[in-house]
Amino acid sequence: MHRFFCFLFSDSCKNQTVMKREGSFQSPNYPNHYPNGATCQWIIEIPHDIIAQKPFITLEFKNFNVEMHSRCNYDKVLVYDGWESNNTLMGSFCGHNTPSLIYATRGKMLVKFISDDFVTATGFNATFEFTSLLGWWSLRFHVLVSYSRNYLA
């Protein structure tokens, strides 16, 4: 038996979106249900003229409702510290609990939303801003991950 997989971008997410001004974004059709088979990517990038004063990105989900699975195997939101999916994964989120504030330290952040072909939900809306301060827990996590990577390398 052979299985064939086809990956399609939903019409609402055909292109990657690059955002260089503080603001907000949401899953397709929010606050209505997002479509099946969606793959959306948002790159948040601090402009060069302010990165020296505000080198960090803060992401806050205001509302969050993505199909629940204990390992987020179906629908999910992935957040990376950097602009590519091979950068540090800061979290894989699904379900109904709104994630805590997320801080990027590289001047860029990739947010990727993926939905499978079955269950949908209302999705999410999020805001982001550029800041000169990191939250205590985020800074602690970042230092721990950097130390672990250097120690294990």
Side-chain angles (χ1 to χ4, degrees):
M1 181 165 109
H2 298 283
R3 291 185 179 184
F4 297 93
F5 295 94
C6 180
F7 297 97
L8 300 173
F9 288 98
S10 110
D11 286 342
S12 56
C13 298
K14 284 186 177 183
N15 298 314
Q16 199 171 55
T17 302
V18 178
M19 298 176 290
K20 294 187 177 189
R21 293 185 179 179
E22 295 174 319
S24 63
F25 60 99
Q26 62 274 330
S27 55
N29 302 332
Y30 180 85
N32 297 312
H33 281 235
Y34 52 78
N36 287 317
T39 299
C40 308
Q41 295 186 92
W42 298 270
I43 294 176
I44 302 167
E45 181 178 3
I46 301 172
H48 294 291
D49 60 334
I50 66 166
I51 197 163
Q53 296 83 27
K54 296 183 174 185
F56 308 115
I57 301 167
T58 302
L59 177 67
E60 181 178 10
F61 288 96
K62 298 294 188 176
N63 294 294
F64 196 87
N65 183 10
V66 175
E67 179 185 5
M68 178 60 196
H69 181 268
S70 61
R71 294 186 186 154
C72 297
N73 284 347
Y74 305 119
D75 301 354
K76 60 189 152 214
V77 176
L78 304 167
V79 182
Y80 297 90
D81 190 0
W83 63 279
E84 295 180 310
S85 55
N86 64 354
N87 292 126
T88 302
L89 176 63
M90 294 189 293
S92 178
F93 306 100
C94 62
H96 311 293
N97 294 326
T98 302
S100 300
L101 288 175
I102 302 168
Y103 300 90
T105 61
R106 297 182 180 188
K108 294 181 182 178
M109 175 186 278
L110 171 62
V111 180
K112 190 172 186 177
F113 169 69
I114 301 168
S115 67
D116 66 9
D117 291 331
F118 299 102
V119 177
T120 65
T122 54
F124 66 88
N125 70 336
T127 62
F128 63 94
E129 64 182 11
F130 310 133
T131 181
S132 60
L133 302 174
L134 273 178
W136 165 249
W137 292 108
S138 177
L139 179 59
R140 184 174 171 204
F141 173 76
H142 180 70
V143 169
L144 179 62
V145 169
S146 296
Y147 174 77
S148 297
R149 250 193 257 129
N150 292 334
Y151 180 74
L152 296 173

